[in-house]
Amino acid sequence: MKYKILIIAPAWVGDIVMAQTLFKLLKKQYQDNLIIDVYANAWAQDLLLRMPEVNSVIINPFNHGEFAFFKRLKQGLKLKQHGYNQVFILPNSLKSALVPFFARIKKRTAFVGESRYGLVNDIYKLNKNLLPLMIQRFCAMAVAGKALDQIDWPKLNANLTMQQNLINKFALNSNKPIIAICPGAEFGPAKKWPSTYFAILTQLIVENNYQVIILGTNKDKALGDEIVAMGSNSVFNLCGATSLADVIDLIAYATAVVTNDSGLMHIAAATDTKVVAIYGSTSPEFTPPLSSKAVILQKKISCSPCFQRTCKYGHYNCLHLIHPHEVYTALNI
């Protein structure tokens, strides 16, 4: 009988990509004697199913911040029938531990988080100095809280048939190389390189006979339109016009990606496409792009990294001091 593991997934795209390091480690430990299911938000299903380690995705029906005690009880009782041997709870919140507890999963593994004693019975205290990287923290749960010397990086599978369908759908020139830019960041403006800079960069790229596509969610569409209006009309703004699976395929097809520190940065790194990653208020020392093809651009000024959503000084110099020509040079096209 196979060992069945449930993963309670994080709520952010980048964190889910990085969680694949844990999936890979578990597969290495149990070989073929393992089934991994992931409990995640509906939007994450396309992403998770591009990970060969994942058997299936169970949709998390709860909205962000929703406690809904009795609804979680009902969910837990429903999950009980799956007969999971173990659960790994990746978010730190108390509410994320309720469904596995109600499902009576025998071994419930997690860091302490929001004082989850009792709800979690295989529990570890986080040593941030020992485990500075997010991927180290995820993997430590599978090795009794220890730090690993080597961790297998995420790797997302591209669908070649879907790639060609997307090239046709968006009328891209299959004979001209593509640079993808990802100007959004859910965290806030302190992660977003200026749209004026992105516009200048697109002009430089197009002048070098490359195509440019802008990728992001529907929330980024206005930002993409702004970049096109200020830059080159030959730029394709695909924000909001693609699924997460489409984004994976388009990024995998691209020659390179220019991105803020965002979920799409981690997707780009996991497709083995060259990445130029721009860091503002955050730090690559915690969540770097996990790729040997990544170039990190960061200005270490006195107030950074501050890890704030907005700049308390109002100048955003950590981003503004990274100039378009510097990014263009880093692309090396």
Side-chain angles (χ1 to χ4, degrees), residues 270-290:
T271 62
D272 202 35
T273 300
K274 181 174 181 176
V275 180
V276 177
I278 300 169
Y279 278 78
S281 69
T282 53
S283 171
E285 294 179 7
F286 178 52
T287 54
L290 301 172

Side-chain angles (χ1 to χ4, degrees), residues 258-322:
V258 178
T259 175
N260 298 315
D261 172 20
S262 65
L264 296 191
M265 177 192 76
H266 293 288
I267 285 178
T271 62
D272 202 35
T273 300
K274 181 174 181 176
V275 180
V276 177
I278 300 169
Y279 278 78
S281 69
T282 53
S283 171
E285 294 179 7
F286 178 52
T287 54
L290 301 172
S291 169
S292 60
K293 295 181 180 179
V295 178
I296 295 170
L297 297 180
Q298 180 187 35
K299 297 298 181 184
K300 293 188 176 181
I301 59 177
S302 60
C303 56
S304 71
C306 67
F307 297 100
Q308 299 300 308
R309 293 176 184 270
T310 58
C311 177
K312 64 180 179 181
Y313 300 113
H315 55 57
Y316 294 94
N317 282 345
C318 58
L319 291 165
H320 289 183
L321 290 174
I322 301 172

Side-chain angles (χ1 to χ4, degrees), residues 78-95:
K78 187 177 179 181
L79 280 179
K80 186 179 178 181
Q81 65 187 358
H82 289 265
Y84 292 110
N85 303 99
Q86 186 176 5
V87 60
F88 288 85
I89 306 163
L90 304 193
N92 287 320
S93 65
L94 184 144
K95 60 182 177 292

Side-chain angles (χ1 to χ4, degrees), residues 30 35 94 114 158 183 189 235 268 282 296:
Y30 290 91
I35 293 174
L94 184 144
E114 292 181 348
V235 173
T282 53
I296 295 170

Side-chain angles (χ1 to χ4, degrees), residues 2-3 27 30-35:
K2 292 196 174 186
Y3 195 74
K27 278 291 187 180
Y30 290 91
Q31 301 296 322
D32 294 331
N33 192 39
L34 178 67
I35 293 174

Side-chain angles (χ1 to χ4, degrees), residues 169-229:
K169 176 181 177 180
F170 296 117
L172 301 175
N173 185 343
S174 59
N175 296 316
K176 186 180 284 191
I178 289 174
I179 303 295
I181 67 170
C182 307
E186 285 287 327
F187 185 73
K191 267 191 175 186
K192 292 182 178 180
W193 199 48
S195 57
T196 51
Y197 285 15
F198 270 115
I200 294 169
L201 177 65
T202 62
Q203 287 179 308
L204 293 170
I205 294 169
V206 169
E207 287 170 4
N208 198 23
N209 205 32
Y210 280 74
Q211 295 174 99
V212 175
I213 58 173
I214 305 176
L215 298 174
T217 67
N218 199 51
K219 294 178 183 177
D220 303 314
K221 187 177 185 307
L223 176 58
D225 287 340
E226 185 181 338
I227 292 168
V228 172

Side-chain angles (χ1 to χ4, degrees), residues 21-331:
T21 57
L22 171 61
F23 309 163
K24 285 174 171 282
L25 177 59
L26 292 170
K27 278 291 187 180
K28 189 176 291 186
Q29 290 176 341
Y30 290 91
Q31 301 296 322
D32 294 331
N33 192 39
L34 178 67
I35 293 174
I36 296 176
D37 291 343
V38 183
Y39 186 77
N41 295 323
W43 57 259
Q45 186 170 22
D46 285 348
L47 171 59
L48 286 161
L49 292 179
R50 292 301 184 93
M51 301 178 183
E53 302 81 13
V54 174
N55 172 63
S56 66
V57 178
I58 298 171
I59 302 301
N60 175 358
F62 301 101
N63 296 320
H64 181 69
E66 181 184 3
F67 192 77
F69 180 86
F70 290 104
K71 190 176 176 182
R72 290 181 190 272
L73 172 60
K74 186 177 179 181
Q75 271 279 296
L77 294 174
K78 187 177 179 181
L79 280 179
K80 186 179 178 181
Q81 65 187 358
H82 289 265
Y84 292 110
N85 303 99
Q86 186 176 5
V87 60
F88 288 85
I89 306 163
L90 304 193
N92 287 320
S93 65
L94 184 144
K95 60 182 177 292
S96 64
L98 288 174
V99 170
F101 176 78
F102 294 140
R104 295 293 186 263
I105 299 174
K106 186 175 181 180
K107 188 174 184 180
R108 303 182 298 277
T109 304
F111 286 108
V112 173
E114 292 181 348
S115 300
R116 300 182 290 189
Y117 300 101
L119 294 176
V120 177
N121 58 13
D122 180 33
I123 196 164
Y124 303 98
K125 289 186 177 180
L126 176 60
N127 183 331
K128 292 183 179 181
N129 293 323
L130 180 66
L131 305 168
L133 296 175
M134 178 75 81
I135 58 169
Q136 292 174 321
R137 297 174 187 181
F138 286 155
C139 290
M141 295 184 202
V143 288
K146 299 174 184 177
L148 294 175
D149 294 330
Q150 189 171 352
I151 294 175
D152 287 342
W153 286 344
K155 179 72 172 72
L156 297 174
N157 290 334
N159 185 312
L160 300 183
T161 301
M162 289 302 299
Q163 277 183 346
Q164 191 56 54
N165 290 342
L166 290 166
I167 297 302
N168 297 336
K169 176 181 177 180
F170 296 117
L172 301 175
N173 185 343
S174 59
N175 296 316
K176 186 180 284 191
I178 289 174
I179 303 295
I181 67 170
C182 307
E186 285 287 327
F187 185 73
K191 267 191 175 186
K192 292 182 178 180
W193 199 48
S195 57
T196 51
Y197 285 15
F198 270 115
I200 294 169
L201 177 65
T202 62
Q203 287 179 308
L204 293 170
I205 294 169
V206 169
E207 287 170 4
N208 198 23
N209 205 32
Y210 280 74
Q211 295 174 99
V212 175
I213 58 173
I214 305 176
L215 298 174
T217 67
N218 199 51
K219 294 178 183 177
D220 303 314
K221 187 177 185 307
L223 176 58
D225 287 340
E226 185 181 338
I227 292 168
V228 172
M230 290 187 294
S232 171
N233 289 330
S234 58
V235 173
F236 298 81
N237 180 16
L238 305 185
C239 293
T242 55
S243 67
L244 206 46
D246 293 339
V247 168
I248 293 168
D249 290 331
L250 286 168
I251 283 178
Y253 185 83
T255 300
V257 179
V258 178
T259 175
N260 298 315
D261 172 20
S262 65
L264 296 191
M265 177 192 76
H266 293 288
I267 285 178
T271 62
D272 202 35
T273 300
K274 181 174 181 176
V275 180
V276 177
I278 300 169
Y279 278 78
S281 69
T282 53
S283 171
E285 294 179 7
F286 178 52
T287 54
L290 301 172
S291 169
S292 60
K293 295 181 180 179
V295 178
I296 295 170
L297 297 180
Q298 180 187 35
K299 297 298 181 184
K300 293 188 176 181
I301 59 177
S302 60
C303 56
S304 71
C306 67
F307 297 100
Q308 299 300 308
R309 293 176 184 270
T310 58
C311 177
K312 64 180 179 181
Y313 300 113
H315 55 57
Y316 294 94
N317 282 345
C318 58
L319 291 165
H320 289 183
L321 290 174
I322 301 172
H323 296 292
H325 281 83
E326 182 178 355
V327 178
Y328 180 73
T329 299
L331 278 173

